[in-house]
Amino acid sequence: MITELRRLKNRARRDATRQRLIEVAKKIFAEKGYHNTIVSDIVKGAGVGQGTFYRNFKDKRDIFENLLNELTEKLLSSFSDMSSELPQNSNEYREASIRAIKRMINIVVANKELVKIYIKEAITVDKELENKIYEFQIRFAQLAKYYLDHAIEKGFARRCNSDIVSKSIVGLGFSLLNMWLGGIIKEEDVDDIITEVIDFAFFGLVGSVNPKGVEL
Amino acid sequence: MITELRRLKNRARRDATRQRLIEVAKKIFAEKGYHNTIVSDIVKGAGVGQGTFYRNFKDKRDIFENLLNELTEKLLSSFSDMSSELPQNSNEYREASIRAIKRMINIVVANKELVKIYIKEAITVDKELENKIYEFQIRFAQLAKYYLDHAIEKGFARRCNSDIVSKSIVGLGFSLLNMWLGGIIKEEDVDDIITEVIDFAFFGLVGSVNPKGVEL
Amino acid sequence: MITELRRLKNRARRDATRQRLIEVAKKIFAEKGYHNTIVSDIVKGAGVGQGTFYRNFKDKRDIFENLLNELTEKLLSSFSDMSSELPQNSNEYREASIRAIKRMINIVVANKELVKIYIKEAITVDKELENKIYEFQIRFAQLAKYYLDHAIEKGFARRCNSDIVSKSIVGLGFSLLNMWLGGIIKEEDVDDIITEVIDFAFFGLVGSVNPKGVEL
Amino acid sequence: MITELRRLKNRARRDATRQRLIEVAKKIFAEKGYHNTIVSDIVKGAGVGQGTFYRNFKDKRDIFENLLNELTEKLLSSFSDMSSELPQNSNEYREASIRAIKRMINIVVANKELVKIYIKEAITVDKELENKIYEFQIRFAQLAKYYLDHAIEKGFARRCNSDIVSKSIVGLGFSLLNMWLGGIIKEEDVDDIITEVIDFAFFGLVGSVNPKGVEL
DNA sequence: GATGAATGAGAATTCATTCAT
DNA sequence: GATGAATGAATTCTCATTCAT
């Protein structure tokens, strides 16, 4: 039926507009920050009418939350398949961590703008989004704790308050991300950075003389 | 002379007003965030006229920057005396770190609101303040690096990319602070948290079986 | 010919759509009032596209005027046959009035929504509709005056300024309608209300001891 | 103290501005109707800045409600002293009614614009104001009923459903007011109109041959 | 110097209306 | 002819800033 085809085409047109708005918003939010962006910036950037924005989103916060959810889904889905096999020794643990971090970093690199928004801006919008971000961090920490507890139990991780330590790990990660996004850490060789950070996380400042890749 | 007395009184009154504005701004910024605070919130809170605000500060950003500087000075002055003697072994390094952290935490606890503003809000105001915060973090990282390099040289710290690692340490600290301010880490026993985090920083996830306080 | 058939079908479809829009508009105007209704309310209610509305009506006011005319025609046509025979005594006058009112009430009950719109909303749209409503009231008053003048002449109504009095009667009627629509007068027994009001109109507050149905 | 004087002057200035806005709003609402008035009409008319309006009133509805309350208070206060002595016979009842009506009319004439708004516009703003108006009408009807019940008891008014009849009386009054404001009833001699309407209310269409001023 | 009323520029938002499909 | 996405003019509303007292 014609009406069905029409509906599809309309839907496609609208989705395209919506997507254009989202892309533009992402770019501008990352550039100028959430608070310094006004709706008409986005509208102008997308080349649509002011009303079109409000047809698609309730307000600035709404499109922002959409962006947030977009990244959240990407990150979570990337970890949905991870929990399959638990590491059986320190080395496997280390390798698994590196793999996880690399996967994360790929997503981060592919969504640099989103991540910047995510980490810097979202917590200053309002309490609701602030909590959303915190809950997300907590989920990460819980995942880290799951692996850490396992490692402690199996004896290849130091006995410790795994709650605090896993939160430390996640915080460490977010911080470095933030520094990298903020330009404090210059890009250089990402792999080197990962190795350094992993070594720090596994062996601390003191550690052994030549810990790299060596099982203790 | 009366005029002189008058002038003094005026100045005292003005300073008091200014101080009250600063105190109130601190409280409100911490509560509602920089962007969700309007000048009239501060003015109402301080019980002064709208014009009085503009007599004391150029605009909202100006009073905010004042708050920022307040904390920066407090933190820096607290570290001005620290660099006296360098640790001579792992244990001294550890003890010195704990002392430094505790000193920091005291300042943080005494200025919880300021710290919250500092960490959460300042980077979203504009590029200038963003950089100011980053530079401050870099200074901290440099201080950490100074000690770390010393420890590596002396042989009681693992050889590593001390630039990345010291930034990691600072990031770790800021993150945990953030989590604590955000309520992700419940207050409980701060000393326990410090020990845990220090152990993590010194011995990593793997570490030795019972590292607490034991020199390797 | 197919084209002819097509044209007929199209017309039928269009008429149906138009009618649906009118029905929905009636309902929504009555519910939310003219000013608090937006075109898209009507369009959504009717399940048609926004453009379809403008294909059938010039604008919101246009569809509103259509509703108005609908009721006007109904009311006027209901009175076109009434003026046949004039009452010859007070009792006939009274009976005729009751009949007229009941006929009116039937129309009103059958078109409650329209009447509500008519009485409440129409006068606030613009001067033109305001006048239209007033002219309609005047026509009613003239009709009432015609009967009243006749009754005065024949001697079974009190000599009075029939212009003012007939306007009073019409006003009374509209007011009670309004109160009923507004819920000030609860529905109870409509016949009772009619009798009471007719008695009030015929005999006033003072009247005779037991005027009901009794010719003075 | 200087501050006290200042406060007084400020208050006076603000009140003057507020009052100017109210006066202008009254005029414009009466002219163009509530719905066809925009805030900037009022602002321009009052010669103040747009912000000044919002300093004094929440929105258009708010200033409108203020106008409404203004009239309500005027009308109610005019009746607060009325309930003193109850009429002892038909003639006193009639005289009291005439006095009441005249008092009302004086207020109405002095607040023609307000009354027009009151009767025509208020019920179309929203449910809340609609109810407010209805409740006001009910209060009037209750007052009328109080006198009517007394008259029936004393035997100088016809036994009737005083609830319906008093509502009829109030409705009659409001209607005529409306007609007069709408220009359906030309102003001529107000006293004549009052006499006619009172006669109609007391003696109905039928009444006695020469009821004016004569006690039955 | 302090005040707070007034301001108006600019941002958000709505909604009647158009128009490509 | 029907549709509903897109539009932007018009309106509301906010809030930093000024300025008369």
Side-chain angles (χ1 to χ4, degrees):
Chain A
M1 220 168 82
I2 281 180
T3 331
E4 196 51 27
L5 181 63
R6 162 67 43 80
R7 194 171 299 164
L8 246 69
K9 276 194 174 174
N10 273 336
R11 166 73 66 116
R13 178 152 63 121
R14 189 165 170 177
D15 281 357
T17 304
R18 189 187 164 87
Q19 206 47 44
R20 188 139 39 102
L21 281 166
I22 284 184
E23 288 312 318
V24 170
K26 192 189 296 180
K27 198 169 128 258
I28 301 185
F29 281 145
E31 254 169 39
K32 312 174 55 164
Y34 175 79
H35 297 285
N36 299 320
T37 299
I38 62 179
V39 173
S40 80
D41 289 336
I42 301 170
V43 158
K44 264 178 223 151
V48 300
Q50 191 89 355
T52 305
F53 179 89
Y54 287 95
R55 250 196 134 250
N56 284 281
F57 303 98
K58 199 180 146 290
D59 49 21
K60 189 172 71 159
R61 190 192 179 283
D62 186 30
I63 197 171
F64 186 78
E65 202 172 359
N66 266 276
L67 293 179
L68 230 60
N69 293 339
E70 194 185 319
L71 184 62
T72 307
E73 275 164 34
K74 278 181 184 164
L75 287 174
L76 288 184
S77 78
S78 108
F79 278 84
S80 61
D81 55 329
M82 183 182 135
S83 38
S84 43
E85 347 132 24
L86 288 167
Q88 294 308 319
N89 56 46
S90 169
N91 219 26
E92 275 181 38
Y93 190 15
R94 195 173 178 277
E95 294 306 321
S97 300
I98 290 179
R99 277 200 309 278
I101 288 175
K102 285 195 171 163
R103 209 178 324 169
M104 278 269 307
I105 286 187
N106 284 336
I107 297 175
V108 167
V109 169
N111 299 279
K112 221 171 161 175
E113 283 165 344
L114 270 180
V115 173
K116 201 167 178 178
I117 295 165
Y118 203 94
I119 291 183
K120 270 180 54 180
E121 305 281 340
I123 53 172
T124 68
V125 172
D126 57 29
K127 295 283 177 209
E128 201 190 321
L129 288 193
E130 195 182 348
N131 289 334
K132 216 167 174 172
I133 297 296
Y134 287 156
E135 271 157 31
F136 187 72
Q137 290 193 15
I138 290 175
R139 276 170 88 165
F140 260 93
Q142 284 170 337
L143 196 62
K145 184 172 183 299
Y146 173 70
Y147 283 87
L148 178 52
D149 280 339
H150 171 79
I152 293 171
E153 205 170 301
K154 290 285 178 186
F156 55 87
R158 186 172 52 82
R159 205 153 285 281
C160 65
N161 180 335
S162 66
D163 188 59
I164 296 293
V165 172
S166 51
K167 277 169 184 163
S168 296
I169 293 168
V170 171
L172 180 54
F174 273 77
S175 271
L176 289 168
L177 217 49
N178 217 349
M179 287 181 179
W180 181 55
L181 293 170
I184 296 184
I185 294 177
K186 308 295 179 210
E187 207 154 333
E188 308 172 61
D189 191 346
V190 175
D191 276 2
D192 271 11
I193 299 177
I194 295 175
T195 318
E196 282 295 337
V197 175
I198 284 284
D199 280 347
F200 170 58
F202 272 75
F203 310 111
L205 299 171
V206 176
S208 67
V209 178
N210 177 25
K212 304 204 177 185
V214 177
E215 190 179 347
L216 289 191
Chain B
M1 222 168 75
I2 281 180
T3 341
E4 192 55 26
L5 184 63
R6 162 78 46 86
R7 191 175 303 165
L8 247 71
K9 275 196 173 173
N10 273 342
R11 169 169 277 268
R13 181 147 52 107
R14 182 164 171 181
D15 283 356
T17 302
R18 188 186 163 89
Q19 205 46 43
R20 192 151 75 258
L21 279 168
I22 284 182
E23 288 311 317
V24 169
K26 191 189 299 180
K27 196 168 128 262
I28 301 185
F29 281 145
E31 252 170 41
K32 312 173 52 164
Y34 175 78
H35 296 284
N36 298 321
T37 298
I38 63 181
V39 173
S40 81
D41 288 337
I42 301 171
V43 157
K44 262 178 225 154
V48 301
Q50 195 89 352
T52 307
F53 179 90
Y54 286 93
R55 179 159 293 284
N56 284 281
F57 303 97
K58 199 178 144 287
D59 50 22
K60 187 171 74 159
R61 190 191 180 285
D62 186 30
I63 197 171
F64 186 80
E65 205 171 358
N66 267 275
L67 292 179
L68 233 58
N69 294 338
E70 194 185 321
L71 184 63
T72 309
E73 276 163 32
K74 279 181 184 164
L75 287 174
L76 289 183
S77 80
S78 111
F79 278 83
S80 60
D81 56 328
M82 181 181 136
S83 40
S84 45
E85 352 137 14
L86 289 166
Q88 293 310 318
N89 56 44
S90 170
N91 221 22
E92 274 183 40
Y93 190 15
R94 197 173 177 279
E95 293 306 322
S97 300
I98 290 178
R99 276 199 309 279
I101 288 174
K102 285 195 170 163
R103 208 180 322 172
M104 277 271 304
I105 285 185
N106 284 336
I107 297 176
V108 167
V109 168
N111 298 278
K112 221 171 161 176
E113 282 165 343
L114 271 180
V115 172
K116 201 166 182 178
I117 293 165
Y118 202 93
I119 292 183
K120 267 179 57 179
E121 304 287 335
I123 52 173
T124 69
V125 172
D126 56 30
K127 295 284 177 206
E128 201 189 321
L129 289 191
E130 194 182 348
N131 289 334
K132 214 167 175 172
I133 297 296
Y134 287 156
E135 273 156 30
F136 189 73
Q137 289 192 16
I138 291 175
R139 278 169 86 168
F140 258 93
Q142 285 168 339
L143 196 64
K145 186 172 182 298
Y146 174 70
Y147 283 87
L148 179 51
D149 281 339
H150 171 78
I152 292 171
E153 210 169 297
K154 290 285 178 187
F156 56 87
R158 184 171 55 82
R159 204 153 286 281
C160 64
N161 181 333
S162 67
D163 188 58
I164 296 294
V165 173
S166 53
K167 277 169 184 163
S168 296
I169 292 168
V170 171
L172 181 54
F174 272 77
S175 271
L176 289 168
L177 217 49
N178 219 345
M179 286 182 180
W180 182 55
L181 293 169
I184 296 184
I185 294 177
K186 310 293 179 212
E187 208 153 333
E188 307 172 64
D189 191 346
V190 175
D191 277 1
D192 270 11
I193 297 177
I194 295 175
T195 318
E196 282 295 334
V197 174
I198 285 284
D199 280 349
F200 170 59
F202 272 76
F203 310 112
L205 299 172
V206 177
S208 68
V209 178
N210 177 23
K212 304 205 176 187
V214 177
E215 189 179 349
L216 290 190
Chain C
M1 223 168 76
I2 282 178
T3 342
E4 192 54 25
L5 185 62
R6 161 80 44 86
R7 191 175 302 164
L8 245 72
K9 275 195 173 174
N10 274 343
R11 170 168 274 268
R13 181 147 52 110
R14 182 165 172 182
D15 283 356
T17 302
R18 187 186 164 89
Q19 204 47 43
R20 193 152 75 257
L21 280 167
I22 285 183
E23 288 311 317
V24 170
K26 192 189 296 181
K27 195 168 131 263
I28 301 185
F29 281 146
E31 252 170 41
K32 313 172 53 163
Y34 175 78
H35 297 285
N36 299 321
T37 298
I38 63 181
V39 173
S40 81
D41 288 336
I42 301 171
V43 157
K44 262 179 226 152
V48 300
Q50 195 90 352
T52 307
F53 179 90
Y54 286 93
R55 180 160 291 285
N56 284 280
F57 302 98
K58 199 177 144 288
D59 50 22
K60 187 171 75 160
R61 190 191 180 285
D62 186 29
I63 197 172
F64 185 79
E65 205 172 357
N66 265 275
L67 293 179
L68 233 57
N69 293 339
E70 193 185 322
L71 183 64
T72 308
E73 275 163 32
K74 278 180 184 166
L75 286 174
L76 288 184
S77 80
S78 110
F79 276 83
S80 60
D81 56 329
M82 181 182 137
S83 39
S84 44
E85 348 137 16
L86 289 167
Q88 293 308 319
N89 57 47
S90 170
N91 220 24
E92 275 183 39
Y93 190 14
R94 195 173 178 278
E95 294 306 322
S97 300
I98 290 179
R99 276 199 310 279
I101 288 174
K102 285 193 171 164
R103 208 178 325 170
M104 279 269 307
I105 286 185
N106 284 336
I107 297 175
V108 166
V109 168
N111 299 278
K112 221 169 161 177
E113 284 167 342
L114 272 179
V115 172
K116 200 166 182 179
I117 294 165
Y118 202 94
I119 291 184
K120 269 180 56 180
E121 304 288 334
I123 53 173
T124 69
V125 173
D126 56 29
K127 295 284 176 206
E128 200 189 322
L129 288 191
E130 194 183 348
N131 288 336
K132 213 167 176 172
I133 297 296
Y134 287 156
E135 272 157 30
F136 188 73
Q137 290 192 14
I138 291 175
R139 277 168 87 167
F140 258 94
Q142 284 169 338
L143 196 63
K145 185 173 182 297
Y146 173 70
Y147 282 88
L148 178 53
D149 280 340
H150 171 78
I152 293 171
E153 206 170 301
K154 290 287 178 185
F156 55 87
R158 187 172 52 81
R159 204 153 285 281
C160 64
N161 180 334
S162 66
D163 189 59
I164 296 294
V165 173
S166 52
K167 278 169 184 163
S168 297
I169 292 167
V170 171
L172 181 54
F174 273 77
S175 272
L176 290 169
L177 218 49
N178 219 345
M179 287 180 179
W180 182 56
L181 293 170
I184 297 185
I185 293 177
K186 310 295 180 212
E187 208 154 331
E188 308 171 63
D189 191 347
V190 176
D191 277 1
D192 271 12
I193 298 177
I194 295 175
T195 319
E196 282 296 334
V197 175
I198 284 285
D199 280 348
F200 170 59
F202 272 76
F203 310 112
L205 298 173
V206 177
S208 68
V209 178
N210 177 24
K212 304 203 179 186
V214 177
E215 190 179 347
L216 290 190
Chain D
M1 219 168 86
I2 281 180
T3 333
E4 197 52 27
L5 181 63
R6 161 68 43 82
R7 195 170 297 166
L8 247 66
K9 278 195 174 175
N10 273 336
R11 166 72 66 117
R13 179 153 61 121
R14 189 165 171 177
D15 281 357
T17 304
R18 189 186 162 87
Q19 207 45 44
R20 190 139 38 102
L21 280 166
I22 284 183
E23 288 312 318
V24 171
K26 193 188 297 181
K27 199 170 125 260
I28 301 185
F29 281 145
E31 253 170 40
K32 312 174 55 164
Y34 174 79
H35 298 286
N36 300 320
T37 299
I38 62 180
V39 172
S40 79
D41 289 336
I42 300 170
V43 158
K44 264 177 223 153
V48 300
Q50 190 90 355
T52 306
F53 178 89
Y54 288 96
R55 252 198 132 249
N56 285 281
F57 303 97
K58 199 180 145 289
D59 50 21
K60 190 172 70 160
R61 190 193 180 284
D62 186 32
I63 197 172
F64 185 78
E65 201 172 358
N66 266 276
L67 293 179
L68 229 60
N69 293 339
E70 194 186 319
L71 183 62
T72 307
E73 274 163 34
K74 278 181 184 162
L75 287 174
L76 288 183
S77 78
S78 108
F79 277 84
S80 60
D81 56 329
M82 184 182 134
S83 41
S84 44
E85 348 131 22
L86 288 167
Q88 294 308 319
N89 56 46
S90 170
N91 219 23
E92 274 182 39
Y93 190 13
R94 195 174 178 277
E95 293 306 323
S97 300
I98 290 178
R99 276 200 310 278
I101 288 175
K102 285 194 171 164
R103 208 179 322 171
M104 278 269 308
I105 286 186
N106 284 337
I107 296 175
V108 167
V109 168
N111 299 280
K112 221 171 161 174
E113 283 166 343
L114 270 180
V115 173
K116 201 167 178 178
I117 294 165
Y118 203 94
I119 291 183
K120 269 180 53 182
E121 305 282 340
I123 52 171
T124 69
V125 172
D126 57 30
K127 296 283 177 207
E128 199 190 321
L129 288 192
E130 195 182 347
N131 289 335
K132 215 168 175 171
I133 297 297
Y134 288 156
E135 272 156 32
F136 188 72
Q137 290 193 13
I138 291 175
R139 277 169 87 165
F140 259 92
Q142 285 168 337
L143 197 63
K145 184 172 182 299
Y146 174 69
Y147 282 87
L148 178 51
D149 281 339
H150 171 79
I152 292 171
E153 207 170 300
K154 289 286 177 186
F156 56 87
R158 186 171 53 82
R159 205 153 284 280
C160 64
N161 180 333
S162 66
D163 188 60
I164 296 294
V165 173
S166 52
K167 278 170 183 162
S168 297
I169 293 169
V170 171
L172 182 54
F174 273 77
S175 274
L176 289 168
L177 217 49
N178 216 348
M179 288 180 179
W180 181 55
L181 294 169
I184 296 183
I185 294 177
K186 310 295 179 210
E187 205 154 335
E188 306 173 61
D189 191 346
V190 175
D191 276 1
D192 271 11
I193 298 176
I194 295 174
T195 318
E196 282 295 335
V197 174
I198 284 285
D199 279 349
F200 170 60
F202 272 76
F203 310 113
L205 299 172
V206 177
S208 68
V209 180
N210 178 24
K212 307 203 177 184
V214 177
E215 191 180 346
L216 289 191

